[in-house]
Amino acid sequence: MAALDGTAVGLIGLGHMGRPMARNLSAAGARMIVHNRSAAPMEELAAEGMTAAASPAETAAAADVVILMLTDTPAVETVISGEAGVLQGLRGGGLVIDMGTTKVPTTRALAAEVAARGGGYVDAPVSGGTIGAEAGTLTIMAGGAEADVARAMPLFDVLGAKTTHVGAVGAGQVAKAANQVIVGLNIGAVAEALALARRAGVDPAKVREALGGGFADSRILEVHGRRMVDGQFAPGAKSTIQRKDMDQALELAAELGLEMPATALSRDLYDRLIAAGHGDLDHAALIKAIDPEA
Amino acid sequence: MAALDGTAVGLIGLGHMGRPMARNLSAAGARMIVHNRSAAPMEELAAEGMTAAASPAETAAAADVVILMLTDTPAVETVISGEAGVLQGLRGGGLVIDMGTTKVPTTRALAAEVAARGGGYVDAPVSGGTIGAEAGTLTIMAGGAEADVARAMPLFDVLGAKTTHVGAVGAGQVAKAANQVIVGLNIGAVAEALALARRAGVDPAKVREALGGGFADSRILEVHGRRMVDGQFAPGAKSTIQRKDMDQALELAAELGLEMPATALSRDLYDRLIAAGHGDLDHAALIKAIDPEA
C-alpha cells in the first residue's frame, strides 16, 4: 500500500467525502497537504499527521497534484480562481483534479485557466457516496487529456473500484450528470411502484423482493428501495444535493437545446419534497412526495 | 427432467412466450394439451407430440392445471368466461394459472368465478421476455392461496429462475404493474441520460460503460442502454405492450386514488413514440421520443 510514495497530494474540501479520501491516499503512501474553509476538519487530519495548508494557493504550491472535493460549482470557482486560489500557487506542470459535481461549461473554462498557467486539469466526479469514499470503492468518471488522466490514475486506483476515461475535459461531468439523471429518475420509478403496491394492499417488501433479478432490478431498487420499505431516510445523499444535480443537468440540456421532460418533472417532485421540509433526508425519501403516508 | 411426469398441463396462448414455455414443460415430463385462437402454432406443437385442443373448455377438461399466456385482459376474460371457455370444462379441483399481464380487479373477479366452480386460481405474471421463456429463466410474481401456489410451484420451477409468492390473488399482478412502472420509467431515465451525453459531444457508449457498477447501474442500463447505444430496436418487448402495461398501472392507481406523475408522463412519451410510427420497436426506442436523431 505504498503505491503513492513520494507524491505530494493536496486535497481541498474535507467534508464527508474528502476526509475519508484523504485518509485512503495517506494510507497508500501519499504525502497529504489538506485545506478546508473551516478549520476543524483540517485540525482533525493534521492530528493524524497530514499537513494543513492556510489557503488553496498554499496547498497547490506544496503539491504535485491538487484534488478538489467541494459542494458546488461556485465553491470550485472560488477555490481555483479566487483570492489565494489554486491558480495563485499552482506549480508549472501541476495537475488539478476536480472530483466534485461541477457544471460542464465552468469545468471547461477553469481547465482553460489552469492550462494557461501550464497545469493539467481532470474532471473526475464520483458515484458511491460516503460508503464508497470510506471503502475506496468509488466509481470515477474522468474527463481530460490522455496524459493527465494517466497521471491521475494511481490516485484513482486508491480512491475507487472503477475509473472510466470518458473523454476530453468536461466528459466526466457529463457522465456524472447522466448518472444523476438516472439515479433521480429511477428513485422516482421505485417510489411510484412501491407506493402503488402499498395502496393496492400488497406488501412493498414482497414486491421489491419479487422484482429482484428481473428487468426492474437495479442498485436503486436494492439500496433505495430498501430504504423506502424500511422508512429509513438518513442520508446517504441528501435530497437537496440530488435536486441541485438535476438542476445542473437540466441547465446543461437547455444550453444544448435538449428537452428532458422526465428529469424536469422529477426535479419538481424533489422541490415538493424539499418544500415539505424533507431536504435533509436521503433522496430515497422522494416516495413521500408520491405517497405522504410512506 | 421428468419432474412433471403424470401431470396434464393445458396451455392456452401459443405466442412468442407460450410456445417456448410449452416446450419446456413438455421436456420436463408434462403431458401438454395446447390451444390457440389461430391454428398454426397449435399444429406446430402438435407435430412435436403435444395434444391440440379445440377450445379453452376442451383444454381445461383434459388438464389438471391450465396455464394462460395471453396478450391482454379482454383475451383472458374471453378465454375463461366466454363461450367454450375454461369455466365450461374446468375439472373440480382444477387449477387456473394466468401468467400474462392482466388487470388486478379482473384477476380478482375471475378468481372468484373459478372458485365458485371449485377451482383454484393463481396469477403469476412474468418478467424476462422471450429470452427468459426460452431459457426457462423467467422471474415469476405469484398471487394466490398458499396451497394453490404450492401446487403450481413445480411448473414455475421449470419455467422460471425465481418465483416469489407475493400475496393473495391479484398480488402477482400488482407486482407486475410495479415491475412495468419501474422498467418503463428507468428506460426513460437511461434515454434522457444518453441523449444528454450525445448532445454534449460525449460518446454515449463510454458514458454507459462509466456508469456500470455505480448507483445508476441496472438491468435496463445494461440491456436497453446497449440497444440505445447500438440503435438496435428489434423487440424484445414492443413499445405498444409497454404503453398498455403502464395504462393498466395508471388505471389501478386511479382506482386507488394514487397519483403517479412520472408514470403518467412516461405513458405520454410512449404515446409520442407510437404516434411517430415506432410502436412495433422495442420499448428502448423511447430514446427517439427524447432525441429524434438517436
Side-chain angles (χ1 to χ4, degrees):
Chain A
M1 281 297 279
L4 303 180
D5 261 1
T7 310
V9 177
L11 203 154
I12 302 173
L14 306 174
H16 291 298
M17 299 292 290
R19 283 202 303 281
M21 290 165 66
R23 288 190 178 109
N24 286 337
L25 290 166
S26 179
R31 195 158 54 77
M32 296 302 299
I33 302 101
V34 294
H35 177 73
N36 195 66
R37 199 172 42 177
S38 63
M42 253 191 303
E43 287 161 8
E44 185 183 327
L45 294 183
E48 297 174 22
M50 303 184 206
T51 302
S55 68
E58 269 193 30
T59 309
D64 304 311
V65 180
V66 183
I67 295 172
L68 310 187
M69 197 65 201
L70 300 160
T71 316
D72 55 24
T73 298
V76 173
E77 286 180 304
T78 302
V79 160
I80 293 182
S81 304
E83 203 182 331
V86 166
L87 287 175
Q88 309 302 315
L90 192 68
R91 300 179 185 182
L95 181 65
V96 176
I97 309 175
D98 176 17
M99 301 192 74
T101 300
T102 304
K103 293 183 187 182
V104 174
T106 307
T107 295
R108 288 171 178 159
L110 290 172
E113 287 189 51
V114 167
R117 294 290 194 114
Y121 196 98
V122 172
D123 53 305
V126 304
S127 174
T130 51
I131 297 169
E134 282 160 16
T137 57
L138 293 166
T139 298
I140 299 171
M141 299 153 249
E146 196 70 56
D148 291 334
V149 174
R151 259 181 87 190
M153 206 52 92
L155 282 70
F156 294 157
D157 287 345
V158 170
L159 298 171
K162 177 187 166 190
T163 300
T164 307
H165 184 190
V166 182
V169 162
Q173 295 297 350
V174 170
K176 179 64 191 275
N179 187 82
Q180 294 307 83
V181 162
I182 294 175
V183 166
L185 268 55
N186 199 11
I187 286 176
V190 172
E192 292 195 5
L194 296 185
L196 178 63
R198 198 185 70 77
R199 287 288 185 95
V202 176
D203 182 0
K206 276 283 178 195
V207 169
R208 177 179 162 281
E209 183 189 329
L211 271 41
F215 277 127
D217 203 3
S218 66
R219 289 267 285 148
I220 296 296
L221 181 70
E222 194 188 318
V223 175
H224 300 78
R226 176 178 292 277
R227 287 176 193 162
M228 292 178 208
V229 164
D230 295 343
Q232 292 295 337
F233 299 120
K238 290 185 184 177
S239 297
T240 49
I241 301 289
Q242 179 69 44
R243 196 257 310 257
K244 186 261 297 176
D245 289 352
M246 296 181 95
D247 264 336
Q248 283 186 195
L250 285 163
E251 194 181 313
L252 176 61
E255 285 160 8
L256 299 165
L258 177 70
E259 251 195 286
M260 301 204 296
T263 306
L265 171 68
S266 177
R267 190 257 318 269
D268 292 349
L269 292 174
Y270 275 106
D271 277 344
R272 192 194 293 183
L273 180 70
I274 293 164
H278 300 309
D280 284 339
L281 295 186
D282 186 77
H283 46 175
L286 188 66
I287 194 169
K288 290 175 177 291
I290 304 300
D291 183 359
E293 289 158 44
Chain B
M1 280 297 278
L4 303 180
D5 261 2
T7 309
V9 177
L11 203 155
I12 301 174
L14 306 174
H16 292 297
M17 298 293 291
R19 283 202 303 281
M21 289 165 65
R23 289 190 177 108
N24 285 337
L25 290 166
S26 180
R31 194 158 54 78
M32 296 302 300
I33 303 102
V34 295
H35 177 73
N36 195 65
R37 199 172 42 175
S38 63
M42 250 190 307
E43 287 161 7
E44 186 183 326
L45 294 182
E48 296 173 24
M50 303 185 205
T51 304
S55 68
E58 270 194 28
T59 309
D64 303 311
V65 180
V66 183
I67 295 173
L68 311 187
M69 197 65 200
L70 301 159
T71 314
D72 54 23
T73 297
V76 174
E77 286 180 304
T78 303
V79 162
I80 292 182
S81 304
E83 202 182 331
V86 166
L87 286 176
Q88 309 303 314
L90 191 68
R91 300 180 183 180
L95 181 65
V96 177
I97 308 176
D98 176 16
M99 301 191 73
T101 299
T102 305
K103 293 183 188 183
V104 175
T106 307
T107 296
R108 288 170 177 161
L110 290 172
E113 287 188 52
V114 168
R117 293 293 192 113
Y121 196 96
V122 172
D123 52 306
V126 304
S127 174
T130 51
I131 297 170
E134 283 159 18
T137 57
L138 293 166
T139 297
I140 301 171
M141 299 153 252
E146 196 70 56
D148 292 332
V149 174
R151 258 180 90 190
M153 205 53 87
L155 282 72
F156 294 158
D157 287 344
V158 170
L159 298 170
K162 176 188 165 188
T163 300
T164 306
H165 183 190
V166 182
V169 161
Q173 295 297 351
V174 170
K176 178 67 191 274
N179 188 82
Q180 294 306 82
V181 162
I182 294 175
V183 165
L185 268 54
N186 199 12
I187 285 176
V190 171
E192 292 196 4
L194 295 184
L196 179 63
R198 198 184 71 76
R199 288 288 186 94
V202 176
D203 181 2
K206 275 285 178 193
V207 169
R208 176 180 161 281
E209 184 190 328
L211 271 40
F215 277 127
D217 203 3
S218 66
R219 289 267 285 150
I220 296 295
L221 181 70
E222 193 186 318
V223 176
H224 300 77
R226 177 179 292 278
R227 287 176 191 161
M228 293 179 206
V229 164
D230 295 344
Q232 292 295 337
F233 299 121
K238 291 183 184 178
S239 298
T240 48
I241 301 289
Q242 178 70 44
R243 196 255 311 257
K244 187 261 297 175
D245 289 352
M246 294 180 95
D247 264 337
Q248 282 186 196
L250 285 163
E251 193 181 313
L252 176 62
E255 286 161 8
L256 299 166
L258 177 70
E259 251 195 286
M260 301 204 296
T263 306
L265 170 68
S266 177
R267 190 257 320 269
D268 292 349
L269 292 173
Y270 275 106
D271 277 344
R272 193 194 291 184
L273 180 71
I274 292 164
H278 300 309
D280 284 339
L281 296 186
D282 186 77
H283 46 174
L286 187 66
I287 194 169
K288 291 175 176 290
I290 304 299
D291 183 359
E293 290 158 43

